[in-house]
Amino acid sequence: MRRKGNLLSLIPYYIWILFFVIAPILLIVYYSLLDLHGHFTINNYRNFLTSVYLKMTLSSFWYAFLITLFSLIISYPAAYLITKLKYKQLWLILIIIPSWINLLLKTYAFIGIFGNKGPINAFVKAIGLPNQQILFTDFAFVFVSVYIFIPFMILPIFNALDKLNPALIDASRDLGASKITTFRRVIIPLTMNGVKAGVQAVFIPALSLFMITRLIAGNRVITLGTAIEEQFLTTQNWGMGSTISVFLILFMFIIMLLTGERKKGVARNGKAK
Amino acid sequence: MKSLIRASIGILLVCGILMYTSHAMDATSGKSGKDILTIYNWGEYIDPALIKKFEKQTGINVIYETFDSNEAMMTKIEQGGTNYDIAVPSEYTVEQMRERHLLKKIDHKQIPNLKYIEPDFLHLAFDKKNQYSIPYFWGTVGVVYNKKLLKDKKFDSWDDLWDPSLKGKVILVDSAREVIGVGLNSIGQSLNTTDSTVLQKATNKLIRMAPNVKAVIGDEVTQLMINGDAEVALTWSGQAADMMSENEDLTYSVPKEGSNLWFDNMVIPKTSKNIEGAHKFINFMLDPKVAAQNSEYVGYTTPNKAALKLMDPEIVNDTRYYVSKDVREKLEVYKNLGKEKIGEYNELFLRFKMSIR
């Protein structure tokens, strides 16, 4: 009886998955096989495999890679530092709070900060350098994206580091390992799952960023997300938009497989969102 | 089991509340009847005093709602559940709405003031007999630039945008037809070109402009131009007027090779419940005095010939907006080119954007 009850209670979950995960994916695949007039075609896929979209895919991956890399470089030491602090939960909250603010608002704020008359250029001028064009550069794009994604990277890494048993580090030191060796051979392997979860939480959304590409990079950076938005909203070619989405979903699955944990049962703690 | 039942009841309850709310919201949005007129217009696109005046004159209560894109407006009307009596789409959207049977015919007998409209602005390709639409405002696409930041620069020709001295200074609008249109205009071709080789040629020319392009953005350009953060931008005359009213260093120019002529038009959506009131409103807005007041308030150019005589001559004689007759002859209204061609324009535009690096 108990077992049955458990199965029954899973029904809402399965219904949810069916309607909000499986059905939309099937719909996207279906639409990707339609042309403008609703006839079946594989031309959308052929179109995707042309140089324009392949180039776009490459550049999307490149920027997503950069964003993930810089997020990781900043987040790992930051998370490590926070675990050593006295009020670590408070510090963590301070890092997480900005992620509650709407992404668009934060992006708009950066338009002002990076502008020719913004605080950064005011500082640049004060130290006697000529005005710098910051907005609409690769730097601005990566900077803002990293800023936005950092909480999603810090959280899982923090959790992994926080769970790390300090006795293991002591043991390593007692057995004569240097600080660097301890870090390399003990801390990193034990927090790898946190890093993987963080990479997933950053790399995948970074692949499909779209508003920031226009607002901060002025469309000088074109990602797959931008292309999907345009196909749906301006061209109204749902078929092509869906085709790009199919590839995006495929890429996401591949990344999940690559960064996924081998062993099941290890808590996938703090996977943001 | 108990918790399962409790959860199901909870879900049902939430659904019920949501359904009720949505029903209640439907009832208030676009509620219409004999003495109510629901108007669906762009934001800040009418002098509010005129709505009051109309209400006083006719005893009709006006509900005023706004939208910010043609597509959003059309989708909302198409989905139903609204009772808009007046909407103000741009010309290409009028054509699409007509094709999708979303519009009611306008009875010209009920609109005597139609005679005040400049004849050049009637009977255009998107609605040959003005059966479905009456022009509200019109305008052009051109170049807005900062005289102070760009000394001695003029934009009399589209080719001026290719000037090497403008490296990294040009802002373009994120819209395929306008940008590809610059390429087409600059090689002396029609904005409604459907020939793929010509389109390719225009794109190739645009790609040569890529080093000059600072960014391809949307409405954010207004703030950048006002703050003096950007030197020169491709924009619509109305948006240019907004910028210029905030920053005196800015000016606007329509290059001599020609450009786009656009219209926003009053239409009566199929969902209207107060057709008589809608006609009254259209007629009211065409009254020369009303049109003049509205145009001076909003800052857009009016198609109402009689209204021009009542307006400040300084505005009416400003050839940046009220372009001279020979420039006007070179302006072209967009035709609906069909989804395939629009797709091609967008593909080419995407290729152009990818070349900006």
Side-chain angles (χ1 to χ4, degrees):
Chain A
M1 187 62 210
R2 191 140 176 221
R3 242 196 114 92
K4 222 174 173 184
N6 275 342
L7 278 178
L8 268 178
S9 65
L10 277 176
I11 288 175
Y13 171 76
Y14 283 129
I15 291 177
W16 181 273
I17 292 285
L18 183 70
F19 278 101
F20 297 107
V21 179
I22 295 172
I25 290 179
L26 288 180
L27 267 180
I28 288 174
V29 174
Y30 171 72
Y31 273 115
S32 74
L33 292 168
L34 296 181
D35 67 5
L36 277 169
H37 306 287
H39 303 305
F40 271 100
T41 174
I42 53 158
N43 272 344
N44 291 329
Y45 286 86
R46 216 173 279 159
N47 204 357
F48 187 87
L49 297 172
T50 57
S51 63
V52 177
Y53 286 100
L54 288 181
K55 227 172 104 188
M56 196 188 311
T57 310
L58 275 182
S59 93
S60 293
F61 268 90
W62 171 242
Y63 283 106
F65 167 75
L66 283 181
I67 293 164
T68 315
L69 181 72
F70 284 114
S71 302
L72 186 61
I73 289 175
I74 295 167
S75 299
Y76 201 99
Y80 189 77
L81 202 73
I82 292 171
T83 55
K84 299 278 169 261
L85 292 171
K86 201 172 168 195
Y87 302 104
K88 49 188 176 187
Q89 292 302 334
L90 176 74
W91 289 105
L92 199 61
I93 279 284
L94 286 181
I95 284 173
I96 291 165
I97 281 176
S99 68
W100 296 348
I101 297 165
N102 186 297
L103 184 132
L104 217 52
L105 288 180
K106 285 187 283 189
T107 311
Y108 270 108
F110 271 108
I111 296 182
I113 293 170
F114 285 156
N116 281 347
K117 297 206 171 118
I120 294 186
N121 261 317
F123 173 75
V124 166
K125 259 181 239 165
I127 58 169
L129 291 171
N131 217 20
Q132 298 291 317
Q133 174 65 41
I134 308 170
L135 204 59
F136 309 133
T137 58
D138 283 5
F139 164 77
F141 174 67
V142 174
F143 185 93
V144 173
S145 310
V146 168
Y147 165 78
I148 283 165
F149 284 126
I150 272 182
F152 302 108
M153 184 67 100
I154 286 191
L155 211 61
I157 296 178
F158 171 84
N159 279 331
L161 282 167
D162 206 34
K163 288 223 178 88
L164 195 66
N165 189 347
L168 292 173
I169 294 166
D170 292 341
S172 160
R173 299 299 299 280
D174 286 347
L175 292 170
S178 69
K179 263 190 173 167
I180 295 170
T181 315
T182 308
F183 183 70
R184 210 162 49 88
R185 304 289 292 269
V186 179
I187 300 180
I188 287 194
L190 283 174
T191 54
M192 210 52 205
N193 280 335
V195 172
K196 280 178 177 171
V199 167
Q200 271 183 16
V202 172
F203 193 87
I204 293 174
L207 260 187
S208 53
L209 272 179
F210 68 95
M211 273 316 281
I212 305 174
T213 55
R214 193 178 92 188
L215 294 173
I216 297 294
N219 273 325
R220 299 170 75 94
V221 174
I222 305 267
T223 59
L224 292 173
T226 329
I228 295 173
E229 185 208 12
E230 191 165 296
Q231 293 291 353
F232 273 92
L233 291 183
T234 50
T235 317
Q236 307 208 328
N237 186 351
W238 289 26
M240 194 61 215
S242 302
T243 307
I244 306 171
S245 308
V246 167
F247 278 98
L248 201 53
I249 294 170
L250 275 179
F251 295 144
M252 288 174 182
F253 268 119
I254 293 170
I255 292 155
M256 299 267 270
L257 283 179
L258 287 179
T259 55
E261 294 137 46
R262 303 271 141 69
K263 272 179 287 174
K264 280 203 172 159
V266 179
R268 201 183 273 205
N269 32 39
K271 191 172 165 283
K273 266 197 180 169
Chain B
M1 205 60 196
K2 221 180 202 169
S3 66
L4 179 66
I5 292 168
R6 219 178 283 157
S8 328
I9 291 174
I11 290 170
L12 284 177
L13 210 67
V14 170
C15 289
I17 291 169
L18 286 177
M19 254 163 79
Y20 175 77
T21 327
S22 106
H23 186 78
M25 272 165 73
D26 276 354
T28 53
S29 92
K31 182 170 70 179
S32 223
K34 265 277 161 281
D35 51 355
I36 293 171
L37 189 76
T38 316
I39 297 168
Y40 200 27
N41 198 355
W42 300 81
E44 292 177 47
Y45 214 37
I46 196 168
D47 181 353
L50 290 173
I51 296 179
K52 291 239 167 66
K53 196 173 164 191
F54 175 76
E55 286 179 324
K56 223 179 201 172
Q57 240 176 48
T58 56
I60 295 173
N61 281 322
V62 172
I63 298 174
Y64 191 76
E65 288 185 30
T66 60
F67 57 86
D68 57 11
S69 91
N70 279 304
E71 287 72 22
M73 181 266 304
M74 188 163 72
T75 313
K76 206 163 169 196
I77 288 174
E78 203 169 13
Q79 304 280 313
T82 56
N83 308 327
Y84 299 118
D85 298 303
I86 295 275
V88 189
S90 305
E91 78 286 326
Y92 67 97
T93 312
V94 171
E95 213 169 342
Q96 284 174 354
M97 291 177 83
R98 201 185 58 192
E99 276 167 14
R100 297 186 194 185
H101 307 288
L102 296 176
L103 299 180
K104 282 209 156 98
K105 277 194 181 170
I106 294 173
D107 179 10
H108 287 194
K109 269 184 224 136
Q110 291 183 51
I111 307 182
N113 287 345
L114 191 61
K115 61 174 185 274
Y116 295 121
I117 296 277
E118 162 87 52
D120 281 3
F121 294 149
L122 292 173
H123 311 299
L124 293 161
F126 63 91
D127 185 12
K128 280 215 171 83
K129 289 176 183 158
N130 285 88
Q131 279 178 314
Y132 297 94
S133 69
I134 306 289
Y136 183 65
F137 282 125
W138 64 276
T140 51
V141 169
V143 179
V144 65
Y145 59 100
N146 192 317
K147 286 177 288 188
K148 222 164 129 195
L149 294 175
L150 295 175
K151 286 177 197 106
D152 316 320
K153 269 262 145 27
K154 281 225 165 70
F155 293 89
D156 294 333
S157 162
W158 286 115
D159 284 334
D160 292 331
L161 288 174
W162 273 260
D163 190 328
S165 70
L166 291 176
K167 195 165 188 307
K169 289 184 176 163
V170 179
I171 290 193
L172 297 176
V173 53
D174 192 9
S175 174
R177 272 197 97 167
E178 277 70 24
V179 175
I180 300 289
V182 170
L184 286 168
N185 273 144
S186 77
I187 56 171
Q189 294 288 343
S190 160
L191 291 176
N192 295 313
T193 298
T194 51
D195 182 345
S196 297
T197 49
V198 176
L199 287 173
Q200 190 60 54
K201 229 169 110 188
T203 313
N204 289 343
K205 176 153 186 196
L206 275 176
I207 288 173
R208 287 203 292 280
M209 195 218 275
N212 283 0
V213 178
K214 181 188 193 126
V216 183
I217 50 178
D219 287 340
E220 306 86 59
V221 66
T222 311
Q223 212 49 48
L224 290 177
M225 288 305 291
I226 291 171
N227 292 345
D229 272 346
E231 288 86 352
V232 47
L234 176 73
T235 189
W236 290 277
S237 55
Q239 211 168 17
D242 289 347
M243 298 174 196
M244 285 157 66
S245 66
E246 301 277 331
N247 184 341
E248 289 192 344
D249 297 332
L250 300 177
T251 187
Y252 176 76
S253 144
V254 179
K256 62 175 194 284
E257 291 92 344
S259 174
N260 165 236
L261 173 67
W262 55 260
F263 289 93
D264 285 335
N265 311 276
M266 292 182 275
V267 300
I268 306 178
K270 198 103 210 168
T271 50
S272 167
K273 294 262 167 71
N274 189 357
I275 297 165
E276 201 195 327
H279 279 91
K280 271 187 193 157
F281 182 79
I282 294 176
N283 196 46
F284 172 80
M285 290 312 293
L286 294 185
D287 180 85
K289 256 194 212 154
V290 171
Q293 186 184 337
N294 200 28
S295 175
E296 285 191 349
Y297 179 87
V298 181
Y300 279 57
T301 34
T302 176
N304 196 310
K305 211 165 69 177
L308 294 180
K309 292 191 185 106
L310 304 172
M311 286 165 63
D312 186 349
E314 208 178 308
I315 299 175
V316 178
N317 294 328
D318 190 339
T319 50
R320 292 176 303 186
Y321 298 122
Y322 290 95
V323 289
S324 62
K325 190 108 184 159
D326 49 315
V327 175
R328 207 198 288 160
E329 265 158 23
K330 289 201 184 126
L331 299 178
E332 256 182 297
V333 181
Y334 289 144
K335 285 186 192 134
N336 183 3
L337 301 179
K339 271 190 173 177
E340 268 100 2
K341 274 294 151 192
I342 295 299
E344 195 177 328
Y345 271 76
N346 277 289
E347 258 337 273
L348 291 170
F349 184 47
L350 195 63
R351 209 166 298 168
F352 165 67
K353 284 200 279 189
M354 305 254 317
S355 73
I356 313 168
R357 295 256 63 243

